[in-house]
Each structure stands twice: as structure tokens, then as C-alpha cells.
Amino acid sequence: AEALQATNLLNLLSSVHDGRWLHKWDKKMCKGLPKHSRDCMDMAGKLPLALKALDAGISPQELLVDCAQAGGLHGKGDGSLVASDGRAEGIEIKGAGLKRGKKCSFAFKSIRVRGTSWKHLFLLGRESEPVGWSTASDVDGCMWLGYVGRDRYKQALREADRSRREPQDATVTPGSSRSWLGGAVEWVRLEDLTREWWETKVLGLPPTP
């Protein structure tokens, strides 16, 4: 558990640390993402999710986002979350910018089922590039968060007659079900993410009365 927390973005971002790690990544993202640096492309989904999760009151014990690329302590996955029954379940996180020529459509690449064990897929779409990457308010005004559970994702593959064996690309637009995956995604503007949304949409808990 200690080793997992040592690489957990939510833990690294928390007030326990002195901020040097985040300052380094803030500079790295601003320089590297426009150049499509692999490390930065990977972090473009993970870092906003971790920043906003903390802001919404989700603790490092409830959500673990691996700061390493696939192949870290979480194997081929991007981390894990604590499900409603207390079990740890794998997560996959994808980040994407706007599809060329579109106002609010995001093109997510290489979503894999074969050889993976994730139960929860998070899609972070950027309507514009953040001016900074160090606080939730830096990123949440220009991003959308989409969520799909593994079973619902596999159902969408079947309905579209797409293979589970091959990585799939998906272009999706918040509020639209026109693409093969569109109707399966639960969307929220990142700035509107709340603990209640997380508990009902991700954990499947009944809404609080």
C-alpha cells in the first residue's frame, strides 16, 4: 500500500508534499504537450483528473492514479479506485484535445480491452489548452470528463460490431450519441465534477436524498 501511494498522483499533489514535483510537471506540460511529448500526452488525462478529484473531496485512499506510464505498479493500467463494496478496481485514463475542425469533439486513441483488466474508463477532453497545470482551477474550465464502465464499453463494441481484440479509436462529443461510443459515455464539465456525481455515475451508488 505504501508503494502504491508513493506513485499516486493524488498523494503527490496533496499538501503533504512541498510542491516541487508539481512545479516541475507544470513547466513540463506547458512546453511538452504542444510538441506531443509522450510523457505529457499520458499526463494530460491523469493530471487534470487527479487535481479535480482532490478538489471534489475524493481522497488518495479512494482514487489511485499512477504517475508512471503503463508498466508501473498497476501493471498495464493507470491506477485503481475503491468500489462501493470496498474492492480495488482498475482504471484507464485517456486524454485528448479537440478533433481538428470541431468545436467540442474529442478523438481518443487506442482504447484497449484485450490484455487489460480496467473496470472504469475516464476520458479527459480539452476544449482549449490550459494556461497552467498546477491547480484544479487551471484545468477544469476548459475540460470535459467522460466516464464509461467496462461492461458498457464492451456492449458499445458489440452494438457497433467492433472487435475487442484490437485497440479502438473513438471520436465523441459531450451530449451526442452519434458516434459508436457516444451513447455510452456519462459526461460532466470538469469544473462541475462533485463527489455526488462520482458516487452515482462511477460507483453506482443511489443519489443522496
Side-chain angles (χ1 to χ4, degrees), residues 31 54 61 69 85 95 127 129 141 161 167:
K31 289 183 178 179
L54 284 172
Q61 287 70 43
Q69 288 191 18
D85 62 2
E127 288 184 300
E129 298 302 331
D161 197 25

Side-chain angles (χ1 to χ4, degrees), residues 8 62 64 73 83 92 106 110-111 157:
N8 182 5
E62 297 171 283
L64 288 81
L73 292 174
E92 179 76 8
F106 311 108
S110 297
I111 304 171
L157 287 176

Side-chain angles (χ1 to χ4, degrees), residues 71-208:
L73 292 174
H74 292 272
K76 294 182 179 179
D78 290 325
S80 63
L81 60 79
V82 177
S84 56
D85 62 2
R87 289 182 299 124
E89 295 183 341
I91 64 174
E92 179 76 8
I93 303 168
K94 293 287 185 181
L98 281 177
K99 187 175 176 64
R100 189 182 299 274
K102 301 292 184 180
K103 289 184 177 180
C104 194
S105 295
F106 311 108
F108 295 95
K109 303 293 186 182
S110 297
I111 304 171
R112 299 175 185 271
V113 170
R114 187 182 186 186
T116 67
S117 59
W118 60 263
K119 299 290 186 185
H120 308 273
L121 172 63
F122 296 98
L123 305 172
L124 279 295
R126 306 185 303 279
E127 288 184 300
S128 59
E129 298 302 331
V131 293
W133 294 82
S134 57
T135 66
S137 59
D138 283 342
V139 297
D140 66 5
C142 60
M143 292 196 189
W144 285 86
L145 170 64
Y147 169 75
V148 192
R150 187 182 184 93
D151 290 344
R152 186 67 184 88
Y153 180 79
K154 286 160 67 173
Q155 180 184 341
L157 287 176
R158 286 195 304 271
E159 291 172 352
D161 197 25
R162 287 177 174 250
S163 171
R164 290 192 212 174
R165 300 173 66 86
E166 301 297 328
Q168 297 290 337
D169 297 345
T171 297
V172 283
T173 304
S176 172
S177 59
R178 292 176 63 185
S179 74
W180 71 268
L181 185 59
V185 185
E186 296 279 2
W187 289 104
V188 65
R189 282 194 173 274
L190 194 58
E191 62 187 348
D192 296 329
L193 175 65
T194 61
R195 187 177 183 90
E196 182 180 12
W197 188 93
W198 182 271
E199 290 177 347
T200 55
K201 302 299 185 183
V202 179
L203 303 184
L205 298 173
T208 305

